[in-house]
């Protein structure tokens, strides 16, 4: 018997995620996954749609000014992330998980991060009152943080199935992971688009935060276990 919409909305096929992703993106992804299942789309097609939506968001972010541009970019970005949540749910619900699908998902995540960083770099470089070298330093730090965070979560997800126990819950940890969760990052990047000085600080600070937090999580969880 095929899974129902209620099965998807109960997040039966979703992975554990911070609260903003769990409450918003995973549920929107559940609806998208259910529709994709009914329309017989493959998980890889959903992954590709997610990347295309995110790339469209970056193009709009960097080229369309004003409130309309910001809202449109945010919609594209959040829809792209929802598709990113949907592909895994669809694969698990229809038993189509594969090594290729896992690789494609991570590869598209990296491309999405690069496009987001490029859009922020172009936006910060336009006013001309920020030194270009400083802009590149800030956005490079953001890209480095996003890349390390994605790498860390990918590795931990792979070995958790083998050796690592689930992390202990805690209020501080929940607040930090929620504040740095993807939907919140995308919201912050869009809301601060016209406040270039603040966006400059935000991009660098988030990048540094991702590096520190992902390193701490990886070291703590691996040291707690084994070889």
């Amino acid at each position: 018997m095929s899974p129902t919409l209620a099965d998807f909305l109960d997040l039966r096929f979703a992975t554990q995620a911070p609260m903003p992703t769990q409450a918003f993106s995973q549920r929107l992804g559940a609806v998208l996954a259910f529709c994709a299942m009914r329309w017989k789309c493959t998980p890889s097609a959903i992954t590709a749609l997610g990347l295309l939506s995110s790339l469209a968001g970056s193009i709009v972010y960097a080229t369309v000014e004003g409130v309309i541009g910001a809202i449109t970019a945010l919609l594209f970005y959040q829809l792209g992330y929802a598709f990113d949540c949907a592909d895994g749910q669809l694969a698990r619900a229809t038993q189509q998980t594969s090594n290729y699908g896992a690789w494609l998902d991570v590869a598209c995540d990296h491309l999405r991060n690069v496009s987001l960083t490029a859009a922020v770099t172009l936006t910060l470089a336009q006013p001309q009152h920020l030194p270009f070298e400083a802009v590149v330093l800030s956005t490079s730090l953001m890209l480095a943080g996003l890349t390390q965070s994605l790498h860390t979560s990918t590795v931990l997800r792979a070995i958790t199935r083998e050796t690592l126990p689930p992390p202990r819950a805690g209020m501080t940890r929940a607040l930090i992971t929620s504040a740095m969760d993807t939907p919140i990052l995308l919201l912050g990047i869009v809301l601060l688009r016209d406040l270039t000085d603040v966006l400059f600080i935000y991009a660098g600070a988030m990048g540094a935060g991702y590096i520190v937090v992902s390193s701490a999580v990886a070291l703590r969880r691996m040291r707690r276990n084994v070889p």
Side-chain angles (χ1 to χ4, degrees), residues 179-192:
M180 301 182 70
D181 197 16
T182 299
I184 303 303
L185 170 69
L186 295 173
L187 181 63
I189 290 294
V190 172
L191 290 178
L192 298 174

Side-chain angles (χ1 to χ4, degrees), residues 73-194:
L74 182 60
L75 290 175
F76 273 125
Y77 278 141
Q78 298 289 9
L79 180 61
Y81 184 56
F83 274 120
D84 188 39
C85 295
D87 57 6
Q89 295 187 49
L90 176 63
R92 286 182 285 274
T94 58
Q95 299 182 353
Q96 296 184 72
T97 57
S98 67
N99 290 333
Y100 170 74
W103 170 84
L104 182 64
D105 184 47
V106 175
C108 287
D109 285 343
H110 282 297
L111 292 174
R112 183 181 297 108
N113 290 340
V114 169
S115 77
L116 175 64
T117 304
V120 174
T121 302
L122 291 173
T123 300
L124 288 174
Q126 286 175 5
Q128 302 298 326
H129 69 275
L130 289 171
F132 183 71
E133 295 80 2
V135 168
V136 171
L137 177 61
S138 176
T139 55
S140 295
L141 190 58
M142 184 177 85
L143 180 58
L146 289 170
T147 300
Q148 178 166 318
S149 179
L150 176 58
H151 173 74
T152 300
S153 63
T154 302
V155 171
L156 289 181
R157 202 158 44 231
I159 63 178
T160 293
R161 289 191 284 267
E162 302 292 333
T163 60
L164 298 180
R168 286 176 292 181
M171 181 62 70
T172 301
R173 179 180 180 276
L175 289 174
I176 292 174
T177 55
S178 293
M180 301 182 70
D181 197 16
T182 299
I184 303 303
L185 170 69
L186 295 173
L187 181 63
I189 290 294
V190 172
L191 290 178
L192 298 174
R193 188 184 66 167
D194 296 328

